[in-house]
């Protein structure tokens, strides 16, 4: 007697890898927009703006923030959100059609280590510094920005995030209905305080905090930071888009919520950093607003970071369930999520090394996610023309269209390597040294397009003639 077919329920889709059915999708245009606004105006937007102020002043910073985000977010959104919104399939499961079932294991392991753990560590440490600032102001303590107290508060943020994550995407939706508008109020409040203390001419004439000698390189590095931020949304937004009701709700809130809201948050960070001489958002609030307003703002910063950590780790946990096969699929959701937070706890014991080198981490993520966005966009939109065989995505056998060669599509990985090599040749993420035409074209954009072109050529000349990949 044949085994019964699995039930495609909302719970199995929300906490596993099964497709989300139309009637189970909870996110309309407004809810998806608020989630994206809540993510984009997370205090990493302030930190991004502050990092931009390291190399450029206000006028160049405005241009760099807009240019970098509009390009990065647009390419990222069409590369992943259209497909997951259409099929309702977990993002990394769907990407088996690009990399193969074994290939996606490699991708998940590598990119989760870079992105999920790294970003969550940055956010949890920022939470620790924010709450330490509150304790110093209210309780009379003297917790330094890299002291053990920061680490302990960071671990508290991780624990709270784990408890919220246990509730799944519905908790994220309801939390962001409150946090999203609150972040907008916080942004406008900080802007009001900044311009209460400084005139526009003061801010516009403020020098960058730590620029290089060449102004052109400074500007393009600022653009590159913001391109990296746009491309860096790739691992998160696809798994949110799968819960949207319509293609319109899957795509456009990314450009409204992620682009527009991120630009607002980063401009706040840029102006505050130039006004106060620090790129760290946790150092702004009390000098700007005084004790009461500053403490209130810091508390809200901490809450905002928790919502961002939950959203990041939700996508990570789904990816691990997909990558780990039956073993991870059988693990209770709370156990899996708790295990993935353990590396973040370890990293939280090194707050200075992680938090103060945030802009280098940002550049390293772009080296991976810019090529990844190019490969996935050209594969789905041009090579497949929006068609995916859903049954084969879930088929681990050799008879699957997406088995490629031994479960790996070499074309996609060669393309990623080519894109990454182009990025590194133009811009060293560790030293921030620029080379060749970087000053005119950045590093992320060439890396994205080179990866897309290499993937297209290899697929047309190698994969398709071999009748692999279901193209």
């Amino acid at each position: 007697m044949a085994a019964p077919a699995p039930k495609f329920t909302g719970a199995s889709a929300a906490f596993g890898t099964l497709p989300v059915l139309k009637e189970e999708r909870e996110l309309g245009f407004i809810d998806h927009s608020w989630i994206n606004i809540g993510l984009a105006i997370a205090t990493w937007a302030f930190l991004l703006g502050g990092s931009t102020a390291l190399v450029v002043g206000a006028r160049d910073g405005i241009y760099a923030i807009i240019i970098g985000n509009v390009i990065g977010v647009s390419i990222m959104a069409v590369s992943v959100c259209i497909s997951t919104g259409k099929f309702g399939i977990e993002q990394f499961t769907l990407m088996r059609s690009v990399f193969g079932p074994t290939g996606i294991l490699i991708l998940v392991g590598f990119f989760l280590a870079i992105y999920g753990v790294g970003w969550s560590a940055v956010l949890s440490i920022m939470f620790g510094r924010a709450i330490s600032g509150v304790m110093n102001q209210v309780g009379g303590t003297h917790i330094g920005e890299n002291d053990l107290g920061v680490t302990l508060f960071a671990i508290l943020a991780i624990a709270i995030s784990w408890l919220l994550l246990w509730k799944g995407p519905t908790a994220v939706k309801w939390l962001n209905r409150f946090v999203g508008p609150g972040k907008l109020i916080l942004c406008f409040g900080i802007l009001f305080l900044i311009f209460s203390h400084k005139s526009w001419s003061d801010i516009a004439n403020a020098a960058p905090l730590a620029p290089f000698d060449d102004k052109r390189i400074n500007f393009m590095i600022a653009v590159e930071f913001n391109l990296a931020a746009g491309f860096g949304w790739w691992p998160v937004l696809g798994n949110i888009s799968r819960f949207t009701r319509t293609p319109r709700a899957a795509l456009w809130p990314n450009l409204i919520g992620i682009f527009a809201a991120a630009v607002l948050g980063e401009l706040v960070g840029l102006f505050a950093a130039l006004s106060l001489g620090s790129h760290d958002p946790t150092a702004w609030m009390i000098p700007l607003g005084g004790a009461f307003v500053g403490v209130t703002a810091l508390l809200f910063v901490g809450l905002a970071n928790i919502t961002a950590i939950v959203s990041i780790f939700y996508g990570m946990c789904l990816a691990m369930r997909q990558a780990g096969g039956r073993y991870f699929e059988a693990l209770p959701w709370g156990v899996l999520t708790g295990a993935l937070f353990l590396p973040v706890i370890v990293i939280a014991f090194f707050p200075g090394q992680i938090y103060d080198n945030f802009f280098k981490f940002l550049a390293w993520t772009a080296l991976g996610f810019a090529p990844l966005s190019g490969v996935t966009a050209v594969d789905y939109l041009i090579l497949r023309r929006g068609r995916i065989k859903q049954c084969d995505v879930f088929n681990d056998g050799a008879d699957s269209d997406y088995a490629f060669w031994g479960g790996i599509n070499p074309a996609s990985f060669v393309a990623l390597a080519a894109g990454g090599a182009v990025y590194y040749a133009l811009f060293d993420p560790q030293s921030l040294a620029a080379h060749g035409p970087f000053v005119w074209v950045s590093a992320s954009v060439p890396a994205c397009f080179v990866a897309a072109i290499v993937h297209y050529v290899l697929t047309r000349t190698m994969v398709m003639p071999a009748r692999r990949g279901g193209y």
Side-chain angles (χ1 to χ4, degrees):
M1 181 177 179
K7 294 182 179 180
F8 285 65
T9 66
S12 61
F15 298 103
T17 60
L18 299 180
V20 184
L21 300 180
K22 294 277 186 188
E23 59 271 21
E24 297 168 345
R25 301 188 182 191
E26 300 182 353
L27 299 181
F29 189 95
I30 300 299
D31 273 330
H32 192 200
S33 296
W34 278 125
I35 286 177
N36 285 350
I37 288 171
L39 285 171
I41 310 184
T43 43
W44 61 37
F46 300 157
L47 190 55
L48 280 165
S51 297
T52 302
L54 291 172
V55 289
V56 293
R59 290 187 177 91
D60 284 348
I62 292 170
Y63 295 133
I65 287 170
I66 293 174
I67 292 169
N69 275 284
V70 74
I71 294 173
V73 171
S74 296
I75 296 175
M76 176 282 307
V78 299
S79 73
V80 68
C81 295
I82 295 175
S83 57
T84 56
K86 177 180 179 179
F87 295 103
I89 297 176
E90 189 275 324
Q91 180 174 339
F92 287 90
T93 302
L94 194 64
M95 292 305 153
R96 289 182 170 197
S97 63
V98 184
F99 300 97
T102 303
I104 203 65
L105 298 179
I106 301 170
L107 196 72
V108 166
F110 180 71
F111 281 101
L112 286 186
I114 291 177
Y115 182 84
V117 172
W119 269 110
S120 299
V122 168
L123 290 170
S124 63
I125 292 168
M126 189 187 294
F127 176 96
R129 287 191 175 185
I131 302 304
S132 296
V134 173
M135 295 298 296
N136 289 343
Q137 184 66 35
V138 176
T141 59
H142 301 281
I143 303 173
E145 59 183 18
N146 295 319
D147 287 352
L148 180 61
V150 172
T151 295
L152 295 178
F153 284 125
I155 294 173
L156 175 63
I158 295 167
I160 296 171
S161 301
W162 174 58
L163 293 174
L164 287 172
L165 184 61
W166 210 332
K167 301 296 182 181
T170 301
V172 178
K173 180 185 76 172
W174 284 102
L175 193 59
N176 274 288
R177 282 181 173 176
F178 163 72
V179 173
K183 289 175 183 175
L184 285 175
I185 295 171
L186 179 63
C187 280
F188 288 114
I190 294 175
L191 283 176
F192 174 80
L193 292 172
I194 290 172
F195 286 102
S196 296
H197 291 80
K198 302 277 187 178
S199 67
W200 166 246
S201 61
D202 291 334
I203 297 172
N205 294 325
L209 305 183
F212 295 95
D213 294 332
D214 191 326
K215 291 184 177 181
R216 297 179 305 164
I217 289 179
N218 286 330
F219 177 74
M220 192 51 71
I221 288 177
V223 171
E224 184 59 47
F225 285 164
N226 287 276
L227 283 167
F231 284 117
W233 290 105
W234 192 93
V236 173
L237 298 185
N239 274 331
I240 298 175
S241 295
R242 68 193 283 247
F243 290 97
T244 56
R245 300 190 186 108
T246 65
R248 174 174 168 267
L251 178 62
W252 291 108
N254 297 293
L255 302 181
I256 295 171
I258 295 297
F259 165 68
V263 166
L264 173 62
E266 289 182 45
L267 290 179
V268 171
L270 173 69
F271 298 157
L274 292 172
S275 299
L276 299 172
S278 172
H279 73 286
D280 183 0
T282 62
W284 305 337
M285 305 305 177
I286 292 175
L288 277 174
F292 177 76
V293 173
V295 165
T296 303
L298 283 173
L299 288 172
F300 193 82
V301 163
L303 177 62
N305 279 12
I306 286 176
T307 64
I309 294 171
V310 171
S311 297
I312 290 171
F313 259 80
Y314 173 66
M316 282 182 60
C317 292
L318 288 183
M320 290 301 296
R321 280 209 156 170
Q322 184 279 127
R326 293 181 178 179
Y327 176 75
F328 281 154
E329 191 75 36
L331 279 179
W333 180 254
V335 174
L336 176 62
T337 53
L340 288 178
F341 273 120
L342 292 178
V344 185
I345 293 175
V346 174
I347 294 175
F349 281 91
F350 306 94
Q353 292 88 330
I354 301 300
Y355 192 81
D356 295 333
N357 289 294
F358 163 77
F359 50 91
K360 294 181 180 180
F361 166 72
L362 190 66
W364 277 109
T365 63
L367 184 148
F369 289 120
L372 188 57
S373 296
V375 168
T376 51
V378 77
D379 191 272
Y380 179 74
L381 297 174
I382 298 177
L383 292 169
R384 299 195 185 277
R385 298 180 183 179
R387 294 190 291 268
I388 297 287
K389 293 184 179 179
Q390 297 185 61
C391 291
D392 283 286
V393 166
F394 291 93
N395 183 1
D396 293 334
D399 58 334
S400 169
D401 272 352
Y402 307 133
F404 295 102
W405 286 271
I408 298 176
N409 180 11
S412 59
F413 282 96
V414 170
L416 288 181
V422 166
Y423 187 101
Y424 194 83
L426 292 171
F427 186 59
D428 183 345
Q430 191 62 33
S431 67
L432 305 187
H435 307 285
F438 170 84
V439 69
W440 305 109
V441 296
S442 80
S444 290
V445 173
C448 175
F449 280 98
V450 166
I453 292 169
V454 170
H455 181 64
Y456 179 84
V457 171
L458 290 180
T459 301
R460 298 285 296 183
T461 59
M462 182 181 76
V463 182
M464 285 183 175
R467 299 185 180 277
R468 306 292 175 112
Y471 290 98

